[in-house]
Amino acid sequence: ISGFICCYFECNLQILRMILRKATLEDIPLIQEIAEEAWRPTYDAILSEEQTRYMLPMMYAHEVLEKQIEIFLILEIDGKGIGYCAFEQTSLTEAKLNKLYLRPNLKQKGAGSFIIEQISDKARSMGLSSVYLNVNKQNSAVDFYLKKGFIKEREMVLDIGNGYVMDDYVMRLML
């Protein structure tokens, strides 16, 4: 999956080649690095540091990623890994976008929109009718997903152990 996008970086208009490619086991350190960079700016005001320290290994330990690597995609700009998502078909008619994270300095520059467009195109080509995701109710990404056409389908509180919960919206994009 590839394309071109115009982005503003440091006041210069640049044409950048963006590619969303299948992740491999060699990408695990990159996924972990981006997760570490993205999580605290995203969740510092939402989750306690203790919950973040609990969740990061639960979701991003090497052994966990090894088992899930087939659903991960890496976003590259001009050959450099700048983000990732996890996307999988969950039924005959729908797919789930499990994760979408970018390096913090690349937010609001078109990279997230590119991932949503590519995932939507892929889901359509698979004959699916919707893509859904879970997102923390307080995450600023809720507004991003609404702008991309997702709707808030329902609320969900999921016990993740150790006394912590994920307080999410389930959002859906009809294709």
Side-chain angles (χ1 to χ4, degrees):
I1 304 174
S2 67
F4 294 90
I5 192 163
C6 296
C7 294
Y8 287 96
F9 287 92
E10 299 169 14
C11 301
N12 294 320
L13 178 63
Q14 299 177 7
I15 306 296
L16 302 171
R17 184 161 189 260
M18 298 181 92
I19 297 172
L20 190 61
R21 64 167 176 81
K22 293 284 285 175
T24 66
L25 292 173
E26 290 75 32
D27 291 312
I28 289 175
L30 173 65
I31 293 167
Q32 291 170 322
E33 176 184 309
I34 295 169
E36 280 288 335
E37 284 181 29
W39 259 66
R40 283 179 179 77
T42 302
Y43 295 111
D44 265 352
I46 302 170
L47 306 176
S48 68
E49 178 61 21
E50 293 77 22
Q51 184 169 349
T52 296
R53 283 197 311 260
Y54 174 76
M55 291 180 71
L56 276 171
M58 180 181 79
M59 299 171 81
Y60 293 101
H62 197 276
E63 315 76 64
V64 173
L65 292 174
E66 277 181 340
K67 293 175 186 168
Q68 299 175 351
I69 199 69
E70 72 279 350
I71 67 169
F72 275 80
L73 301 167
I74 302 295
L75 179 64
E76 293 181 342
I77 293 181
D78 291 337
K80 182 177 178 180
I82 58 108
Y84 64 87
C85 67
F87 171 78
E88 65 181 323
Q89 185 172 350
T90 56
S91 76
L92 292 175
T93 60
E94 61 189 12
K96 183 173 185 184
L97 181 58
N98 289 297
K99 297 170 176 45
L100 191 167
Y101 290 98
L102 302 169
R103 294 189 188 274
N105 64 326
L106 290 165
K107 282 187 162 184
Q108 300 182 334
K109 298 193 183 337
S113 295
F114 179 79
I115 289 175
I116 296 297
E117 290 166 15
Q118 296 302 310
I119 292 300
S120 298
D121 289 348
K122 177 69 174 163
R124 277 188 207 93
S125 75
M126 296 165 68
L128 306 179
S129 59
S130 70
V131 174
Y132 69 97
L133 56 84
N134 290 29
V135 61
N136 185 288
K137 291 177 189 172
Q138 297 177 52
N139 190 329
S140 62
V142 170
D143 291 331
F144 166 75
Y145 292 125
L146 288 170
K147 288 177 188 169
K148 295 296 151 196
F150 283 80
I151 58 162
K152 294 177 190 173
E153 188 173 84
R154 62 188 167 95
E155 297 180 11
M156 170 189 269
V157 177
L158 182 65
D159 184 336
I160 58 169
N162 220 36
Y164 299 118
V165 297
M166 293 195 308
D167 188 14
D168 292 349
Y169 289 121
V170 177
M171 300 183 74
R172 184 173 300 274
L173 177 66
M174 299 307 296
L175 303 173

